[in-house]
Amino acid sequence: MKSRATGIFEMAMIRRVTHAYEETLALAAKFAKVLKRGDMVCLFGDLGSGKTAFVKGMAQGLNIAPEHVHSPTFTLMNIYEGKVPVYHFDLYRISVADLGGLGYEEFFYGNGITVVEWSERLEELLPKDHWHVTLTHAGDDKREIRVTVQGKSLKARLAKVKL
Ligand SMILES: Nc1ncnc2c1ncn2[C@@H]1O[C@H](COP(=O)(O)OP(=O)(O)OP(=O)(O)O)[C@@H](O)[C@H]1O
Ligand SMILES: [Mg+2]
């Protein structure tokens, strides 16, 4: 019997291991070069896995001073003005129910690039077209970073990323 294609075959992935904080920044800065207005970057990973470091690196790649990048704690989102605006969300303390009334969706397909820490919280609300970035502790200062995408257009762009 012929096996049926499942969603998993539609995905493409890049996997790298960084060995220091600065290496994660540099990797994320290169990654950012392929991003465009309207893109959504969803970060997954435990406490201290390097999500904010990744956002700082992305910022560098988009001509935003990384020292401006901090996880929003008292606001839902920080906005950084660079080559394009970057909307930085951190959903650690936010439940999906809380998100409901906040009008956050307008940023997802908006004028800039959206990056979300703790995307685990969004679950089924995630749009299909997003950059799925998972950071995992791999011992000491090592972090495994996986970038996964679905769909023809993002796969073509992922193929151009030189990390
Ligand atoms: N290879 C590495 N890449 C990134 N960070 C590293 C690496 N090695 C060690 N670190 C350290 O891990 C920590 C990562 O912190 P960061 O705030 O980026 O994590 P986070 O995933 O955003 O955490 P949180 O869930 O609290 O938001 C920093 O203290 C950093 O110095
Ligand atoms: Mg963080």
Side-chain angles (χ1 to χ4, degrees), residues 18-21 48-49 136-143:
T18 65
H19 300 81
Y21 174 78
S49 57
T136 316
H137 288 267
D140 299 326
D141 289 346
K142 279 197 215 162
R143 301 291 187 271

Side-chain angles (χ1 to χ4, degrees), residues 18-21 24 46-53 117-118 141 143:
T18 65
H19 300 81
Y21 174 78
T24 295
D46 290 342
L47 284 169
S49 57
K51 299 179 294 297
T52 303
E117 294 191 45
W118 289 102
D141 289 346
R143 301 291 187 271

Side-chain angles (χ1 to χ4, degrees), residues 73-94:
T73 35
F74 301 109
T75 51
L76 175 66
M77 171 197 60
N78 286 342
I79 303 179
Y80 315 116
E81 296 292 345
K83 230 160 64 179
V84 299
V86 173
Y87 306 109
H88 181 190
F89 289 80
D90 188 327
L91 304 182
Y92 185 58
R93 287 179 193 80
I94 306 236

Side-chain angles (χ1 to χ4, degrees), residues 10 18 24 50 57-58 60 62 64 98 110 118 139 150 160 163:
E10 287 177 41
T18 65
T24 295
M58 272 178 54
Q60 256 173 349
L62 296 165
I64 294 159
D98 290 338
W118 289 102
Q150 291 184 50
K160 290 190 196 144
L163 299 182

Side-chain angles (χ1 to χ4, degrees), residues 76-77 89 98-108:
L76 175 66
M77 171 197 60
F89 289 80
D98 290 338
L99 278 172
L102 291 169
Y104 67 96
E105 297 99 331
E106 69 190 76
F107 295 102
F108 289 1

Side-chain angles (χ1 to χ4, degrees), residues 107-144:
F107 295 102
F108 289 1
Y109 298 105
N111 200 25
I113 293 165
T114 301
V115 58
V116 184
E117 294 191 45
W118 289 102
S119 294
E120 287 88 344
R121 301 282 192 272
L122 278 172
E123 298 171 25
E124 70 283 358
L125 293 178
L126 285 174
K128 181 178 174 240
D129 283 336
H130 69 271
W131 300 91
H132 196 105
V133 180
T134 307
L135 297 104
T136 316
H137 288 267
D140 299 326
D141 289 346
K142 279 197 215 162
R143 301 291 187 271
E144 186 191 272

